[in-house]
């Protein structure tokens, strides 16, 4: 019914019939799914969005109100909670990657804010997601209902840097005995847009168990080399992920990052392993 929209009814409530009081006029039309849609002549002004289970929008100068199905309301609430969980997970991970963020998300990076905000934008909904705690449980939208989602991070997808420069190519191995991650790369001879010989290369090694990330400058893009990052606090057996990225010579622009050491596959990347 549309009494909440027009403020009254003349009793004509058949399909296609109009009704109203004074200058207020509306008509009812039956939707294909059996619901009722009310169209009024902008008596509420230009309202957009939802109130409770009502959705308002404007089409060709007319105000429309459509009552959502319960399943549509549930899907919207479920999607919102998933997005909130992904955002919270990215914020939580920013504490682990803070040292890399300071270098990898500098001021002026096109498309990404500086610092933590840039990291969250690059990773929420991608590397950091919300997954159902119990996929078989029915989602409940009540305020006191238990959370349906928990945060999950795929460390191989984490971006510790973002920007217009080209992602450098490098390799990394874990030397378990020495307690280091060894990066190696080949220098480039030809420059092109987004990759320059004086670009700075960085290596970042994350240890989620310790909630920290070791970050060191490896060298220049134009010169090949090898660099070992010592993992001071890490104990043997703790999983680590390593990433490479680049900045320009001034550190004002960055590249995206690439994961070059997967903590879940560390046994296959141990230095000297046959």
């Amino acid at each position: 019914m549309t009494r909440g929209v027009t403020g009254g009814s003349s009793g004509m409530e058949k399909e296609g019939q109009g009704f109203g009081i004074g200058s207020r006029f509306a008509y009812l039309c039956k939707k294909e799914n059996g619901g009722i849609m009310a169209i009024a002549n902008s008596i509420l002004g230009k309202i957009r969005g939802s109130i409770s289970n009502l959705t308002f929008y404007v089409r060709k100068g007319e105000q429309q109100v459509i009552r959502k199905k319960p399943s549509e309301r549930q899907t919207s609430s479920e999607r919102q909670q998933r997005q909130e969980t992904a955002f919270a997970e990215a914020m939580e991970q920013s504490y682990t990657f803070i040292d890399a963020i300071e270098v990898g998300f500098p001021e002026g990076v096109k498309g990404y804010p500086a610092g933590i905000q840039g990291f969250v934008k690059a990773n929420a909904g991608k590397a950091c997601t919300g997954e159902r705690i119990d996929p078989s449980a029915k989602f409940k939208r009540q305020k006191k209902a238990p959370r349906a989602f928990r945060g999950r991070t795929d460390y191989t997808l984490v971006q510790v840097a973002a920007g217009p420069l080209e992602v450098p190519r490098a390799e990394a191995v874990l030397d378990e005995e020495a307690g280091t991650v060894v990066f190696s790369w080949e220098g480039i001879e030809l420059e092109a847009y987004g990759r320059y010989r004086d670009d700075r290369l960085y290596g970042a090694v994350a240890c989620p168990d310790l909630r920290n990330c070791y970050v060191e400058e490896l060298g220049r893009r134009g010169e090949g080399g090898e660099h070992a990052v010592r993992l001071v606090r890490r104990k043997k057996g703790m999983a680590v992920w390593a990433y490479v990225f680049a900045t320009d010579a001034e550190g004002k622009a960055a590249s995206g990052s690439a994961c070059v050491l997967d903590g879940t596959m560390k046994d296959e990347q141990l230095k000297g392993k046959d």
Side-chain angles (χ1 to χ4, degrees):
M1 299 300 295
T2 59
R3 291 186 177 88
V5 177
T6 63
S9 171
S10 63
M12 293 185 293
E13 298 179 354
K14 296 181 181 180
E15 180 182 351
Q17 295 291 327
F19 61 94
I21 296 179
S23 62
R24 299 180 178 183
F25 180 82
Y27 64 89
L28 293 174
C29 60
K30 200 168 191 177
K31 296 171 65 178
E32 293 181 2
N33 59 15
I36 299 296
M37 178 174 68
I39 303 176
N41 290 333
S42 301
I43 61 173
L44 297 180
K46 294 183 179 180
I47 301 177
R48 297 176 185 272
S50 298
I51 300 176
S52 184
N53 65 335
L54 298 179
T55 295
F56 296 83
Y57 66 94
V58 177
R59 184 182 65 184
K60 294 182 179 180
E62 297 178 327
Q63 186 76 37
Q64 297 190 4
V65 184
I66 298 179
R67 189 174 298 275
K68 293 182 181 178
K69 295 180 181 179
S71 60
E72 293 173 347
R73 299 197 302 273
Q74 177 178 321
T75 300
S76 176
S77 298
E78 186 173 354
R79 186 184 306 112
Q80 180 180 357
Q81 190 176 120
R82 185 190 297 273
Q83 292 172 344
E84 291 173 351
T85 304
F87 179 86
E89 178 69 9
M91 285 294 298
E92 181 72 17
Q93 290 298 332
S94 70
Y95 293 101
T96 295
F97 290 96
I98 188 63
D99 289 342
I101 292 171
E102 292 178 356
V103 182
F105 291 89
E107 294 285 351
V109 174
K110 185 176 181 180
Y112 291 93
I116 291 176
Q117 291 183 346
F119 176 84
V120 171
K121 181 178 179 180
N123 291 284
K126 300 167 188 175
C128 302
T129 57
E131 66 176 8
R132 287 295 297 265
I133 297 174
D134 183 359
S136 63
K138 184 177 179 180
F139 179 81
K140 297 179 181 180
R141 63 193 300 265
Q142 290 85 355
K143 292 184 178 180
K144 295 184 178 180
R147 296 289 295 183
F149 295 91
R150 61 187 166 203
R152 179 182 181 277
T153 296
D154 184 340
Y155 290 100
T156 62
L157 299 179
V158 168
Q159 290 293 302
V160 300
L165 300 185
E166 182 179 301
V167 179
R169 295 182 180 181
E171 295 180 350
V173 293
L174 171 65
D175 188 333
E176 190 71 271
E177 293 302 319
T180 60
V181 169
V182 182
F183 293 86
S184 59
W185 68 99
E186 294 184 1
I188 65 168
E189 295 183 1
L190 299 177
E191 293 186 332
Y193 177 78
R195 62 174 194 187
Y196 308 98
R197 289 179 56 82
D198 62 350
D199 286 346
R200 297 179 179 182
L201 302 187
Y202 286 88
V205 183
C207 186
D209 290 340
L210 296 176
R211 288 175 58 84
N212 78 335
C213 182
Y214 307 87
V215 183
E216 293 186 13
E217 184 173 341
L218 305 178
R220 299 286 176 161
R221 198 194 290 261
E223 302 173 357
E226 186 174 282
H227 183 92
V229 176
R230 184 171 297 279
L231 312 179
V232 180
R233 295 171 53 203
R234 174 184 175 270
K235 297 179 180 179
K236 289 184 178 180
M238 286 185 176
V240 295
W241 281 260
Y243 310 84
V244 294
F245 63 96
T247 70
D248 62 13
E250 294 77 26
K252 295 181 179 180
S255 69
S257 64
C259 179
V260 291
L261 178 65
D262 183 347
T264 62
M265 302 289 289
K266 63 181 184 300
D267 290 343
E268 298 178 9
Q269 293 176 293
L270 289 174
K271 186 176 182 180
K273 185 176 178 61
D274 296 331

